[in-house]
Amino acid sequence: MVSDVDTAPLVGRAELVQTVRSALLGEAAHGQTAAVFLTGESGVGKTRLLGEIGNRLRERGAVVLTGSCLDIGDASPLHPLLQALRRFDAEVSASPARTSSAVRGLLQMFADETAGPDGAGALLERVSRGLHLIAEGRPLVLILDDLQWVDRSTRQLLLYLLAGLGDLQLSVLAAVRAESLQGAHPLRRVLTELRRLRTVRVLDLAPLGRADTETLAAAVVGRPLAADEQVWQRSGGNPFVIEELARDLRDGRDGLSETLREIFLDRVDALPQHAHAVVHAVAAGVEPVQHWLLAEVLRMPEDELIAAARAAVAHRLLVGADEGYRLRHRLVAEVLAHELLPAERSGLHRRYAEALTTAPGELHQARLAHHWRLAGEPARALPAAVAAAQEAERLHGYAEAHRHWSAALQLAAEPGPLTVDPVELLENAAEAAHHCGEHARALALLEELATLRGGEPTCALHIRRARYLAAAGRSALAEEEYQRALKAADCSPRDRASAAARLAELLLHLGRYADAGERAREALALAENVEGSATEVVLASSALGFSDACLEDPDAGLAVMRDALDTAERAGQPEDVACAYLHLAELLTGPLNVLEEGVVVARRGAERVAELGLGRTWGTRLLAIAINGLFRVGQWAEAEKVVAAALRHRPSGADAVELLLARCRLSVGYGDIEAAGRDLDAVATLLAGGGARHVIPLLTLRSGLAMWEGRHDVARQAVQRGLTESRSDDVMILSALVWHGLRAEAEAHASRTVEVDPTAVRRLRDVAERVARKSAGAARPVRSVVEGFLALCAAEVSRLDGSDPELWAASAAEWDRRNHPYPAAYSRLRQAEALLARRSRVATAGKLLREAYRVAQGLGAVPLTSEIRELAGRARVSLDERDSATGTRSVPVEASDDELAALTVREREVLALVAEGLTNREIGQRLFISERTIGVHVSHIFDKLQVRTRVQASAIQLRNHRG
């Protein structure tokens, strides 16, 4: 097989190569994911740069996987990754057996993949795990060319890997043709979201300047350019065109047109006659075109084909590689598309299709459908398109499946006999569109289905339309459709129970708890007479349980949820069991505020659903609920352990959002600003325009993080956005947002760095009053939590005109009653601050500061601890309990077992690893915690043990664990 040898030097890109290499390996060396996306026009040199950087990364010991996206819209899911693995498999055939086995194991996993209950998420998890095995601890770089043609599944994989959910040292380098990202191209949104990640860079590759253009051209020609040769003006600095023009000058070819079309046509005309056919065939094929396939299509003798291919490579129109032939530049295909007669083009595509059909081994259904369609054979393209759609669904590539089903619909519309039921086509296309988020398209296809069937819409059609409308955010219309379904004459008992249960859940999400409860009771009554209705029972029970819990009857709501769990367990459907556990845990940790029991239920549920094969999705969400509960009751070290356990699932999508938000709460509390910001950026990326129910928690956390950074204006903006963009009726999360808003104004007033916004204060107070009125009719546990936040709100308002210590005392008492140590400690800090400002009850202020300091230290809340220390230092208050009893200042003493007992469980684990000589990074990898968080723990350990070095801390650890 011939290969292309590029003799032209790389000009004007040395600094860029160094920048990209440092960005990729630098972040990976710190255990983080990193990515660089190179964008630019065709021919600007993106592919050449990918190869150059890939070679340098290999020299530095990185594992480099290179793949390219297909240039047809209906590419197979994860094609570039599969191609990269096959290339790497060929490279490592002589490498250690372990590496080769890992590569082939991952390829075999793709071949054996079948649809399962965990969906696309499980596939991504297995891909990540397989890449981890291939890397063997080395930095792993995934290089992707022509990302503008990327399939949906590969986009999801990139988002998943770049969210940084695991310990895989991964870097991504990709090239994107800038002119392809027009209109609603899906990659535009992905790149916009990825730009927000600190470890992602999008670099625009500009054409070469005049000096670099002349340097490159002179290198190709072999002499300095004459003033009248005008390579700079004719090329516009495009390296590919520069090289082509320079070779024309070198070879003495004159009179070339200044347009790319004429340049390429002249190059093709210069080929030997038999090489013309090779170039035209590769231009019509789906790259890479394998040598055997090209031979079948052209039907040339082997020697003649090799000679023709060699000539095309020598004339720099083709590139030859082990996997097949590619055009050196895709602009060649655009030029040649108009050079063949329609009959010649269709004949080429027919021969491609026939060759692919008769070839032994795996059928590439997407390519087959593509070629039969362009050959003018819709009847033969249709089965291939259907098979390609089914193959995509098997790999959970619903976006690709949707494109294939859509192509099948177009083919079915052609004249001639149909081999596929058009109703089935429409149903599959609509469902695939729904699954991949193309809600408007799903609804349009559903209307076509209704028209095709004729007559009155069926109950099942109403239910499906309601599902699609609800997913599209058109809740009012969805509610009307469910009502029509319930009134439809053909509505079976099962359909009626399903419609009522789904309507109840919809009403619950809309905050109409009374209506949701009424519909849920109706659904439960209907489901009693329907066999196998566990799903309907679980959905309805969720709505009824929350409805009762929020409308003064928490015991009844809890009983309904427990019954739902029993029903799900008896039925044995994994997703029903998972759903029941999830809603029960949410009820206990949410409206009922029974945090300890809720944490137990969440963790038990996570174990149960893991047994049922749903650990990655439902299990992660249950663990996120447990983390939030542990955070509230002050068991932060235990919450970190649960985070580590959940991260092992490698979650994605909404499941990852839940976990990242939970982890971010811990990071904000610890003061790990970098980790918290990274998690918030990852959440914004994963949401990608969706996930409205996560908006308020996301903005609340962003506000809290900004306040610890002293960016009170940013905190204010986050809260105001939450009040403007979110219409949640959840008074608990809304009251927390309002507290953050008032606290931001109070902090701005105290710091005098930002002016207080009276309009914002007035609006926040109005919202607080509205929350108070709305919570008055809620269940007692809900009112209890809201009252705690409203107490904080009232106290924060008092800071604007002289902080009232009594209001802060009331807030501390509220949170003590709920066993929420963090807001209680914060309230005591503010109460002490107010007392000291009034120069009254200094002894009481000192006691409050010491109590707050003890709690903050125990939690590991660095920002809160620092603020307490700062206030104590200004007031000359000792924070040592012994000093408060004796009236003397504390002095360093020898460590003892009692002092080690002051460390939290997590701090003891960290200290033991410090004593083993591990670095912060190594400890973080061992405990699944970020390096910054380990640094926070080490700082706490030093402070509690009153030491200054790791050696001193290690000595204390070893002295107390001898024998």
Side-chain angles (χ1 to χ4, degrees):
M1 183 76 67
V2 292
S3 62
D4 180 62
V5 178
D6 198 333
T7 57
L10 186 66
V11 174
R13 308 297 193 197
E15 183 177 350
L16 178 65
V17 170
Q18 181 60 36
T19 298
V20 173
R21 188 182 67 176
S22 299
L24 295 178
L25 290 186
E27 294 294 345
H30 292 89
Q32 299 181 15
T33 59
V36 175
F37 294 89
L38 300 177
T39 67
E41 64 177 345
S42 299
V44 79
K46 302 182 293 298
T47 301
R48 175 74 187 280
L49 273 173
L50 294 186
E52 184 73 21
I53 296 169
N55 290 335
R56 304 217 181 163
L57 293 174
R58 288 188 186 93
E59 294 171 359
R60 294 286 297 273
V63 176
V64 180
L65 304 179
T66 60
S68 301
C69 302
L70 290 176
D71 61 341
I72 56 175
D74 47 8
S76 299
L78 298 176
H79 167 80
L81 178 61
L82 285 166
Q83 182 189 61
L85 290 170
R86 291 181 182 122
R87 288 176 173 174
F88 191 66
D89 183 36
E91 292 175 11
V92 301
S93 58
S95 297
R98 183 176 174 184
T99 301
S100 181
S101 175
V103 176
R104 289 168 188 168
L106 189 52
L107 286 170
Q108 187 61 42
M109 183 274 293
F110 280 107
D112 297 340
E113 179 66 20
T114 57
D118 245 357
L123 177 63
L124 296 183
E125 177 186 1
R126 290 192 290 274
V127 170
S128 178
R129 189 163 55 243
L131 292 176
H132 182 78
L133 292 174
I134 291 170
E136 294 187 290
R138 297 168 291 176
L140 178 67
V141 182
L142 180 60
I143 297 181
L144 301 176
D145 200 3
D146 289 327
L147 200 67
Q148 69 276 1
W149 294 317
V150 67
D151 58 273
R152 173 67 174 271
S153 296
T154 304
R155 290 202 306 272
Q156 289 177 335
L157 176 65
L158 289 177
L159 289 173
Y160 168 75
L161 294 175
L162 294 179
L165 300 179
D167 56 356
L168 178 64
Q169 296 183 28
L170 174 79
S171 298
V172 174
L173 174 62
V176 186
R177 186 186 291 186
E179 60 265 34
S180 297
L181 302 184
Q182 303 296 325
H185 195 290
L187 195 60
R188 291 184 67 186
R189 184 176 64 181
V190 172
L191 289 177
T192 299
E193 293 296 336
L194 287 175
R195 283 177 188 267
R196 299 163 64 176
L197 294 178
R198 290 179 174 85
T199 56
V200 173
R201 301 184 67 178
V202 180
L203 304 179
D204 295 322
L205 199 57
L208 299 180
R210 179 187 290 270
D212 287 330
T213 296
E214 293 177 352
T215 299
L216 175 58
V220 174
V221 175
R223 59 170 174 80
L225 298 183
D228 60 350
E229 290 175 325
Q230 297 183 332
V231 173
W232 159 249
Q233 292 86 345
R234 298 172 68 188
S235 70
N238 185 291
F240 174 73
V241 182
I242 294 169
E243 292 181 29
E244 295 302 308
L245 292 173
R247 288 187 180 90
D248 290 339
L249 291 172
R250 181 193 63 194
D251 298 336
R253 288 190 291 270
D254 298 323
L256 292 176
S257 168
E258 293 186 10
T259 66
L260 280 175
R261 170 179 291 276
E262 291 172 336
I263 289 175
F264 287 129
L265 288 177
D266 282 341
R267 179 70 67 216
V268 172
D269 289 341
L271 287 172
Q273 187 59 42
H274 57 282
H276 277 240
V278 170
V279 174
H280 279 287
V282 173
V286 177
E287 296 181 344
V289 178
Q290 296 93 333
H291 183 80
W292 70 264
L293 181 57
L294 191 62
E296 289 289 329
V297 170
L298 293 177
R299 300 164 187 169
M300 285 184 184
E302 181 70 7
D303 292 344
E304 186 177 339
L305 176 60
I306 290 177
R310 187 182 296 279
V313 169
H315 282 74
R316 308 188 67 77
L317 285 167
L318 289 188
V319 175
D322 288 342
E323 72 272 12
Y325 299 101
R326 291 178 177 274
L327 292 172
R328 178 172 169 79
H329 201 289
R330 286 305 299 175
L331 289 176
V332 175
E334 298 173 21
V335 171
L336 296 181
H338 304 285
E339 297 304 308
L340 294 178
L341 296 172
E344 291 177 301
R345 284 197 302 272
S346 64
L348 268 176
H349 288 293
R350 177 184 296 278
R351 292 199 294 274
Y352 267 114
E354 290 171 346
L356 288 170
T357 302
T358 59
E362 178 187 1
L363 265 180
H364 298 280
Q365 298 291 354
R367 294 187 179 196
L368 195 59
H370 169 74
H371 287 301
W372 277 130
R373 177 176 60 83
L374 294 179
E377 294 278 2
R380 303 182 75 172
L382 180 56
V386 170
Q390 293 169 341
E391 182 180 348
E393 287 177 341
R394 182 176 64 85
L395 290 173
H396 318 294
Y398 291 109
E400 292 77 24
H402 169 49
R403 286 200 291 271
H404 289 312
W405 287 122
S406 297
L409 286 172
Q410 293 177 352
L411 292 167
E414 297 288 337
L418 280 180
T419 58
V420 180
D421 181 3
V423 171
E424 182 182 346
L425 279 180
L426 283 168
E427 287 179 341
N428 285 318
E431 197 68 12
H434 171 65
H435 281 305
C436 72
E438 297 289 343
H439 304 304
R441 176 62 175 161
L443 288 165
L445 290 170
L446 204 60
E447 294 309 311
E448 290 184 36
L449 179 62
T451 302
L452 181 63
R453 283 178 169 171
E456 291 295 321
T458 63
C459 179
L461 190 65
H462 283 304
I463 293 174
R464 179 179 282 201
R465 184 181 289 126
R467 285 173 49 226
Y468 294 177
L469 287 167
R474 299 161 68 179
S475 302
L477 293 176
E479 182 181 355
E480 293 176 5
E481 283 299 316
Y482 281 131
Q483 298 284 8
R484 292 190 184 101
L486 290 167
K487 295 175 182 177
D490 68 327
C491 194
S492 67
R494 178 178 297 280
D495 286 341
R496 196 175 301 279
S498 177
R502 294 181 184 280
L503 176 57
E505 190 182 34
L506 175 66
L507 295 171
L508 181 69
H509 289 310
L510 293 174
R512 293 162 54 185
Y513 300 132
D515 293 340
E518 180 181 345
R519 283 298 180 187
R521 290 186 179 89
E522 177 187 345
L524 288 170
L526 291 167
E528 287 181 356
N529 302 315
V530 177
E531 289 291 330
S533 58
T535 299
E536 287 74 18
V537 168
V538 172
L539 287 173
S541 298
S542 301
L544 182 59
F546 269 87
S547 174
D548 285 351
C550 293
L551 297 175
E552 300 287 356
D553 198 351
D555 292 336
L558 184 59
V560 170
M561 290 303 301
R562 295 194 191 282
D563 288 343
L565 179 56
D566 291 340
T567 300
E569 287 283 13
R570 287 195 302 271
Q573 290 294 327
E575 289 202 10
D576 293 341
V577 173
C579 183
Y581 264 114
L582 182 76
H583 289 305
L584 178 58
E586 285 179 330
L587 182 66
L588 290 168
T589 58
L592 298 190
N593 196 38
V594 187
L595 296 177
E596 290 82 358
E597 184 182 355
V599 169
V600 171
V601 170
R603 298 181 80 167
R604 185 191 305 144
E607 293 176 1
R608 176 71 177 113
V609 301
E611 295 172 359
L612 298 172
L614 300 177
R616 186 174 188 275
T617 51
W618 294 89
T620 297
R621 295 175 67 183
L622 282 159
L623 290 177
I625 293 173
I627 294 163
N628 290 329
L630 290 167
F631 175 84
R632 293 184 188 118
V633 298
Q635 297 183 35
W636 291 10
E638 185 64 21
E640 278 193 280
K641 292 183 179 180
V642 181
V643 169
L647 284 173
R648 294 188 187 103
H649 289 311
R650 303 288 196 273
S652 62
D655 309 312
V657 167
E658 299 279 4
L659 178 59
L660 290 172
L661 287 174
R663 185 171 70 173
C664 184
R665 288 185 182 91
L666 282 169
S667 298
V668 172
Y670 282 135
D672 193 343
I673 291 173
E674 181 180 347
R678 190 165 58 246
D679 281 345
L680 290 175
D681 289 342
V683 168
T685 299
L686 289 167
L687 287 178
R693 73 189 183 95
H694 298 115
V695 169
I696 290 181
L698 171 66
L699 294 173
T700 300
L701 286 169
R702 201 174 283 286
S703 173
L705 180 63
M707 278 186 274
W708 286 134
E709 294 178 294
R711 301 162 62 199
H712 308 307
D713 54 338
V714 175
R716 172 193 294 157
Q717 292 167 6
V719 172
Q720 292 300 318
R721 181 184 162 195
L723 296 176
T724 301
E725 296 188 5
S726 302
R727 300 168 183 168
S728 173
D729 288 327
D730 190 328
V731 290
M732 294 173 64
I733 62 173
L734 191 57
S735 60
L737 179 71
V738 174
W739 167 46
H740 276 70
L742 290 170
R743 179 182 160 202
E745 298 299 333
E747 296 287 354
H749 175 73
S751 66
R752 304 188 186 281
T753 56
V754 179
E755 291 292 330
V756 175
D757 186 344
T759 303
V761 173
R762 184 166 55 252
R763 183 184 183 192
L764 288 164
R765 295 181 72 172
D766 290 343
V767 175
E769 291 175 3
R770 190 173 77 242
V771 168
R773 289 193 301 271
K774 187 177 294 186
S775 65
R780 177 59 202 167
V782 176
R783 294 202 306 273
S784 177
V785 174
V786 173
E787 286 167 1
F789 282 114
L790 292 178
L792 282 168
C793 290
E796 296 287 4
V797 170
S798 76
R799 291 178 68 193
L800 297 174
D801 52 8
S803 191
D804 186 343
E806 297 304 319
L807 290 176
W808 286 113
S811 175
E814 289 280 353
W815 290 109
D816 280 338
R817 282 196 294 272
R818 294 161 184 79
N819 190 29
H820 288 217
Y822 184 78
Y826 173 80
S827 298
R828 287 190 172 86
L829 163 65
R830 295 298 174 218
Q831 183 185 358
E833 184 181 56
L835 289 172
L836 292 170
R838 297 185 178 196
R839 294 182 173 81
S840 64
R841 299 163 59 190
V842 176
T844 301
K847 181 179 179 181
L848 291 167
L849 283 175
R850 282 187 289 274
E851 189 171 352
Y853 184 71
R854 176 182 58 79
V855 172
Q857 278 280 85
L859 294 173
V862 173
L864 183 59
T865 300
S866 299
E867 194 162 351
I868 294 169
R869 282 178 179 159
E870 183 181 350
L871 178 60
R874 293 200 311 267
R876 297 184 178 181
V877 172
S878 173
L879 295 176
D880 193 297
E881 296 286 351
R882 291 166 294 184
D883 291 347
S884 68
T886 63
T888 61
R889 284 200 170 271
S890 62
V891 294
V893 296
E894 283 296 315
S896 67
D897 289 332
D898 290 338
E899 285 175 310
L900 279 185
L903 301 181
T904 66
V905 174
R906 178 62 89 186
E907 287 167 351
R908 291 188 188 190
E909 292 176 343
V910 172
L911 178 58
L913 296 175
V914 168
E916 291 181 19
L918 272 65
T919 64
N920 285 3
R921 178 188 172 197
E922 292 168 336
I923 296 172
Q925 291 176 340
R926 181 82 62 88
L927 299 179
F928 296 95
I929 306 174
S930 73
E931 186 176 350
R932 279 293 292 270
T933 302
I934 294 298
V936 171
H937 285 310
V938 171
S939 176
H940 292 164
I941 292 167
F942 285 6
D943 186 59
K944 291 181 180 181
L945 298 182
Q946 300 182 31
V947 298
R948 300 178 62 186
T949 68
R950 298 171 82 92
V951 173
Q952 293 171 332
S954 299
I956 294 172
Q957 165 72 10
L958 295 173
R959 184 167 61 246
N960 284 276
H961 288 82
R962 287 173 180 164

